[in-house]
Amino acid sequence: MLSLFKEEKEYRKLFSAGVLNGIGDRFSQVAVLALLLEVTGSGFAVGLTLAIRVIPFLLFAPFGGWLADKFSKRNILVSTDLIRIFFALSFLFVKSPD
């Protein structure tokens, strides 16, 4: 396994990026769940949120597999990242806590 990291520079970069991304995702998840617990005071709400986070994976994974078979994986990644920009920027338009 170590020889793979030594020989494959591109794989090493991809693996490292995946590890950093995973760490960032976990920090984000902990922050959102802690905020939810602070705002609602309900452990049920936190558990429900964790359960709801799984639903998109269950629903869209088969569709994503079909897309990956039909289209270029690179184009799919670029397209979804561009679409994600609009969702990320939509939080700038929130005017009140409600």
Side-chain angles (χ1 to χ4, degrees):
M1 186 74 172
L2 283 160
S3 64
L4 179 66
F5 284 114
K6 291 178 184 176
E7 294 172 10
E8 299 292 336
K9 181 180 178 185
E10 295 300 317
Y11 179 74
R12 188 171 54 234
K13 287 195 286 189
L14 178 65
F15 183 81
S16 300
V19 168
L20 287 174
N21 183 37
I23 292 170
D25 284 348
R26 292 310 156 276
F27 275 119
S28 172
Q29 184 177 5
V30 168
V32 167
L33 295 175
L35 179 64
L36 181 64
L37 184 60
E38 184 178 317
V39 169
T40 65
S42 168
F44 179 75
V46 173
L48 187 62
T49 301
L50 282 170
I52 289 173
R53 287 177 59 113
V54 175
I55 292 173
F57 296 106
L58 295 174
L59 295 177
F60 294 119
F63 180 65
W66 176 81
L67 281 176
D69 289 341
K70 289 279 193 187
F71 301 103
S72 161
K73 290 166 191 62
R74 179 183 177 137
N75 289 341
I76 293 171
L77 287 172
V78 170
S79 300
T80 55
D81 280 346
L82 290 174
I83 292 169
R84 233 171 30 166
I85 290 171
F86 295 108
F87 287 105
L89 292 177
S90 68
F91 290 108
L92 296 174
F93 298 106
V94 174
K95 301 286 185 200
S96 72
D98 295 336

